[in-house]
Amino acid sequence: PMLPGQPLGVALSDEVMLLQVEAEGGYRLLAHYLASGGTYQLPVGTGDVGGIDVEGDTAIWWEGTYDAATAGYIDQHIYAYQLPDGPKIDVVKDAANVGYPQIAGRWLTWVEGSPWEENPEEYWRMPIFGALLDSQGRPVDNPTRLVPSAVASILGDSGWTYSLSATFLAWEQATEIEGATAGTHVVDIGTLEMQSLGPDAWRPSLSEDKLVYWENGLAMLDLTSGESSVL
């Protein structure tokens, strides 16, 4: 009830509620511990903030500076932060068109978009990268390109999404490219075994090994047992 401004986004783990708040012409990130009731302010820069997510007591977010000359963002970063008092780890820097950060288990993932050379007016390449984090939120190795061929439509009000759990990654494929057909695909991060849900499956959302998606209604697939149902 005592937020210092308008809340713009929220992310939730079993331990923490992470809030993005706009206040006094800038942005703040607040972490509220559900058990103790303690609230902490995270250190963010003076630019824009977004893409918040939290796993356990590890928070992640995107920061960037808007450049009016190019109508785009410069100085983009994705940070990881071990609550409640850091450190603030600069996981992704010096990359263009960075976004869509997510965290699950030990994996932090993000996208580095660019116009698709075959049809740059309609589609962007959206390769999904991943980094394994240690207990302090530091990458333990170089990033891995988990999904190199993801493509999103940019026409009109088109949307695009992907979803991460500790063991699986699901994403939308807007058009056929490099053997990947349109629709929703899922990859087992451990084995890199991939399966397609077909051309009419969209908007995937993962929780552990359960995948919920839209296919002429709301459906759920158990990726371990293979059982499916309509919600």
Side-chain angles (χ1 to χ4, degrees), residues 16 20 27-28 31 37 40 45 65 112 116 123-124 128 216 218:
V16 175
Q20 176 190 354
Y27 296 96
R28 299 185 190 180
Y40 299 84
T65 302
E112 298 180 17
W116 183 31
Y123 300 100
W124 267 43
I128 304 170
N216 299 318
L218 198 59

Side-chain angles (χ1 to χ4, degrees), residues 13-79:
S13 74
D14 289 341
E15 302 174 36
V16 175
M17 180 168 61
L18 184 66
L19 289 152
Q20 176 190 354
V21 177
E22 185 174 16
E24 299 176 357
Y27 296 96
R28 299 185 190 180
L29 284 186
L30 304 176
H32 179 76
Y33 275 81
L34 301 173
S36 68
T39 301
Y40 299 84
Q41 183 167 317
L42 281 61
V44 299
T46 58
D48 286 348
V49 177
I52 65 172
D53 200 6
V54 61
E55 171 77 356
D57 56 2
T58 300
I60 67 165
W61 68 91
W62 168 94
E63 290 186 31
T65 302
Y66 183 73
D67 180 20
T70 61
Y73 281 92
I74 58 174
D75 193 26
Q76 298 181 72
H77 302 259
I78 292 174
Y79 293 103

Side-chain angles (χ1 to χ4, degrees), residues 82 116 121 126 186 202:
Q82 187 66 29
W116 183 31
E121 301 300 321
M126 304 292 274
V186 188
W202 302 100

